[in-house]
Amino acid sequence: MESATTSAALGVIAGAAPTTASASLASLWDRVFGTQPDPDQWVVFATAAVALAVVVPYRPWRLARNAITIAHEGGHGLVALLTGRRLDGIRLHSDTSGLTVSRGRPTGLGMILTAAAGYTAPPLLGLGGAALLAADHITALLWLATGLLIAMLVMIRNAYGALTVIVTGGTFLLVSWLTGPQVQAAFAYVAVWFLLLGGVRPAFELQAKRRRGGAGDSDADQLSRLTSVPAGMWLFLFHAVSLCSLIGGGRWLLGV
């Protein structure tokens, strides 16, 4: 009788373990992919003001522009892989410049899309982030950003670049794991506003450099050589994508 009782007790414990694990997995799934409450409207406007205060003045922009460079080079790298090119590595530099090296045909659609992906990546990522926030998937946005940064880290080939991506990804991870809904919402809205607003400025900076005779090997100039379309037209495309993303994403964030 004692042996039967012990066996029954072990069966109950064994049966409880999968149930507990399943409950924990379901809880994690709901936490990441479930919806979170909308922040107050003043939070949306306040986070937009914070992002604007980072993007417009030179000194904070000089530091924060590293995040735009991550998105820019990440865009080159992702499209290179999607178009069948071999991605050799990504470098991020302390002057906020970057370099993505891929192998494949030096001409053709894959190379054109890869070259065009840099300046368009930050505003398009901001637009995608705005869509997630409008659907109340705040935590999912933070985890998706963390996943993309981890994937990008594998391809980083210099110490400064690795440090920048680790710090950025670690910040997203800590906020998503350790903070409550209101803090997560405020952080996510700042990040998306920053991508939307910060995605506009680089094209204007490139335009100013080209007007002064610099940036002769910019993405726009490379695209011009690849397609015989004037670099000014590619600049117009960069402006159009960033401004349209800002307008569309801003409307989603503001709920209008």
Side-chain angles (χ1 to χ4, degrees), residues 32-33 67 70-71 74-75 78 121-122 124-126 128-130 132-133 137-154 164-177 184 187-195:
V32 176
F33 296 103
I70 291 174
L78 177 61
L124 290 177
L125 285 172
L132 284 173
L133 293 182
H137 291 294
I138 297 171
T139 304
L141 168 67
L142 299 177
W143 279 58
L144 178 60
T146 303
L148 290 173
L149 288 164
I150 291 173
M152 184 175 178
L153 181 61
V154 176
T164 303
V165 173
I166 289 170
V167 169
T168 306
T171 302
F172 274 91
L173 181 61
L174 289 174
V175 170
S176 65
W177 193 256
Q184 287 187 21
F187 180 82
Y189 271 79
V190 168
V192 170
W193 276 121
F194 175 72
L195 285 171

Side-chain angles (χ1 to χ4, degrees), residues 81-101:
L81 291 174
L82 292 176
T83 55
R85 298 180 63 80
R86 176 182 173 183
L87 183 59
D88 282 350
I90 299 172
R91 292 178 176 271
L92 306 172
H93 305 133
S94 59
D95 63 354
T96 73
S97 66
L99 176 66
T100 299
V101 179

